[in-house]
């Protein structure tokens, strides 16, 4: 039985893929590594096939036409046979020292019949341009080394939210949520985090075990400042999908503490989307975002009103507009530095 399925969406990743796979194969026979070659035009497929031949039954290659990061994740979720599921982007890698700790805990909990719906681990920002590392830790937020529920998750600030890099979902939870990510779209990790949350009932967090190395600072990354401006329409596509996934009534039916975090996550991602719309001082960008908000208001006024209050959208538009560039950009950069979105 495979305890963990790892999908590696890979597009023109020949410069990074070996480091990624060398770290992942350390998990041994209890891990399956699904390398999705997403229509690469370089040597990515050849490298993936090489590892598939060298590690039979562990590395599995899925070769498909280009569908983007979301399409790669969709293929991985559909093909996964592991009890748990993890996405590791081709330019990232896992910590070899902490890998056995993660696998031992999954095995231990499974043998005890206490599988959580979601494992949480700290992760590491590896900053290329600065040559530095920063550990993103949840040790002051979540209970340590125990199975816990939403009732034990405290109130969180808007810039405190779960990120894809910290999460190992139970595969059945992902599938139960019905998640199908949009293809040819950046920033689908926001949906990946948010959509399964209503189906998560239990957690386990191990502090001081950073597992995922997230490489940031490359010029071509979708999360750098210029790319976020350029790919504005991608973020709006994701934002619209998130506003349409659940109604306020559906969220409130989850229970007080569960609903509180789902609303918190949606609020945080709404604020990020508004920042996207304010970058570049282009009126047409704000109009696109505003239309999504107005459609949301018409469709579900109760949820819209809550999120509006939570994310400062209640500020009159005639005050927001004069604050558009450069002041908004200045505060955005500070916010991005704090949260890692740069």
């Amino acid at each position: 039985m495979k305890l963990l399925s790892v999908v590696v969406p890979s597009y023109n990743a020949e410069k990074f893929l070996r480091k990624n796979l060398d770290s992942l194969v350390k998990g041994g026979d209890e891990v399956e590594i699904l390398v999705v070659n997403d229509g690469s035009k370089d040597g990515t497929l050849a490298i993936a096939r090489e590892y598939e031949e060298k590690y039979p039954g562990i590395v599995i290659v899925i070769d498909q036409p280009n569908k983007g990061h979301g399409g790669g994740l969709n293929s991985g979720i559909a093909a996964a046979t592991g009890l748990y599921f993890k996405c590791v982007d081709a330019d990232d890698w896992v910590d070899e020292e902490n890998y056995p700790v993660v696998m031992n805990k999954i095995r231990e909990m499974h043998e005890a019949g206490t599988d959580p719906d979601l494992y949480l681990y700290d992760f590491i920002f590896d900053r290329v341009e600065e040559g530095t590392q920063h550990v993103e830790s949840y040790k002051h937020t979540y209970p340590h080394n125990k199975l816990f529920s939403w009732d034990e998750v405290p109130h969180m600030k808007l810039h405190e939210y779960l990120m894809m890099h910290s999460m190992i979902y139970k595969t059945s939870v992902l599938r139960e949520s019905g998640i199908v990510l949009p293809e040819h779209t950046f920033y689908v990790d926001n949906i990946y985090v948010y959509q399964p949350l209503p189906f998560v009932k239990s957690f386990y967090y191990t502090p001081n075990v950073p597992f995922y190395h997230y490489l940031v600072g490359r010029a071509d990354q979708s999360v750098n400042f210029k790319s976020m401006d350029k790919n504005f329409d991608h973020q709006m596509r994701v934002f619209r999908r998130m506003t349409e996934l659940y109604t306020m009534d559906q969220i409130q039916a989850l229970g007080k503490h569960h609903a509180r975090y789902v609303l918190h996550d949606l609020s945080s991602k709404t604020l990020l989307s508004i920042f996207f719309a304010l970058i570049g001082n282009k009126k047409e960008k704000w109009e696109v975002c505003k239309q999504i908000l107005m459609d949301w208001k018409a469709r579900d006024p109760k949820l819209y009103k809550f999120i509006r209050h939570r994310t400062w959208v209640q500020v009159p538009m005639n005050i927001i507009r004069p604050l558009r560039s450069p002041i908004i950009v200045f505060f955005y950069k500070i916010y991005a530095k704090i949260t890692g979105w740069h």
Side-chain angles (χ1 to χ4, degrees):
M1 175 186 178
K2 298 291 186 180
L3 292 179
L4 179 65
S5 293
V6 181
V7 63
V8 185
S10 306
Y11 176 71
N12 290 349
E14 64 179 8
K15 294 180 180 179
F16 313 101
L17 190 56
R18 290 186 187 278
K19 181 174 183 176
N20 172 293
L21 295 178
D22 284 341
S23 73
L24 288 172
V25 295
K26 299 294 195 299
D29 292 336
E30 292 177 311
V31 178
E32 69 174 1
I33 304 163
L34 304 165
V35 185
V36 181
N37 178 53
D38 194 43
S40 298
K41 299 176 182 178
D42 64 358
T44 296
L45 180 58
I47 294 170
R49 292 292 189 202
E50 174 190 327
Y51 278 79
E52 184 179 46
E53 183 176 349
K54 187 176 180 180
Y55 299 96
I58 295 176
V59 177
I60 300 166
V61 177
I62 300 172
D63 187 24
Q64 67 182 32
N66 182 262
K67 298 181 180 180
H69 192 258
L73 267 169
N74 291 338
S75 297
I77 293 170
T81 64
L83 179 64
Y84 286 89
F85 186 90
K86 178 76 177 166
C87 175
V88 179
D89 289 339
D91 55 347
D92 298 332
W93 64 98
V94 297
D95 191 277
E96 295 180 21
E97 182 178 342
N98 290 325
Y99 203 171
V101 179
V102 173
M103 293 306 300
N104 289 340
K105 179 54 62 178
I106 292 176
R107 188 185 313 109
E108 174 192 324
M109 298 291 283
H110 182 61
E111 290 175 353
T114 54
D115 298 320
D117 293 331
L118 177 63
Y119 280 102
L120 297 175
Y121 287 93
D122 301 338
F123 64 95
I124 300 171
F125 284 110
D126 282 88
R127 304 187 186 281
V128 174
E129 56 188 13
E130 301 171 8
T132 61
Q133 292 185 335
H134 167 70
V135 176
E136 186 72 14
S137 176
Y138 296 101
K139 65 183 179 182
H140 299 301
T141 305
Y142 298 106
H144 299 181
N145 299 315
K146 58 176 285 191
L147 202 65
F148 64 95
S149 69
W150 292 103
D151 292 348
E152 297 177 74
V153 176
H155 284 282
M156 301 172 72
K157 298 177 182 178
L158 271 176
H159 69 272
E160 298 174 328
Y161 51 84
L162 291 172
M163 292 182 69
M164 187 179 195
H165 320 298
S166 65
M167 308 171 82
I168 302 178
Y169 272 123
K170 199 171 186 182
T171 307
S172 60
V173 168
L174 284 175
R175 290 176 175 156
E176 186 183 4
S177 75
I179 190 168
V180 178
L181 298 167
E183 299 179 358
H184 303 292
T185 304
F186 292 118
Y187 317 118
V188 295
D189 53 314
N190 289 336
I191 300 173
Y192 178 86
V193 171
Y194 176 70
Q195 186 167 343
L197 287 177
F199 298 86
V200 172
K201 302 296 189 296
S202 57
F203 305 78
Y204 196 99
Y205 168 63
T206 304
N208 304 315
V209 183
F211 179 46
Y212 191 106
H213 285 261
Y214 176 33
L215 187 66
V216 293
R218 281 185 18 239
D220 60 341
Q221 280 187 302
S222 61
V223 291
N224 70 53
F225 194 77
K226 290 183 180 178
S227 293
M228 293 172 81
D229 187 16
K230 176 183 175 183
N231 298 317
F232 163 76
D233 59 325
H234 291 244
Q235 176 65 19
M236 291 302 103
R237 202 178 307 155
V238 167
F239 180 39
R240 181 176 288 278
R241 171 75 73 88
M242 292 185 70
T243 68
E244 295 171 345
L245 279 170
Y246 302 114
T247 66
M248 187 61 152
D249 289 343
Q250 288 174 315
I251 294 172
Q252 288 181 325
L254 298 171
K256 178 181 177 181
H257 295 93
H258 195 167
R260 183 176 69 191
Y261 185 80
V262 173
L263 290 168
H264 167 78
D265 191 78
L266 184 56
S267 299
S268 297
K269 303 306 166 49
T270 298
L271 184 57
L272 284 171
S273 299
I274 291 169
F275 274 130
F276 265 87
L278 295 171
I279 294 171
N281 194 26
K282 296 178 182 177
K283 181 180 178 181
E284 59 269 24
K285 289 174 61 177
W286 175 249
E287 291 302 320
V288 172
C289 183
K290 183 179 176 182
Q291 186 60 54
I292 295 173
L293 293 169
M294 293 304 97
D295 292 344
W296 195 6
K297 180 180 181 180
R299 186 175 59 253
D300 192 346
K302 188 160 54 171
L303 181 55
Y304 169 81
K305 183 178 179 180
F306 178 91
I307 300 297
R308 184 186 66 176
H309 175 76
R310 188 86 168 89
T311 58
W312 314 335
V313 183
Q314 74 273 22
V315 178
M317 294 304 159
N318 62 349
I319 295 178
I320 287 182
R321 287 195 185 96
L323 290 178
R324 222 181 269 126
S325 183
I327 297 175
I328 285 292
V329 172
F330 172 76
F331 283 107
Y332 169 78
K333 287 183 176 179
I334 294 176
Y335 180 83
K337 185 72 174 178
I338 293 171
T339 61
W341 279 78
H342 73 294

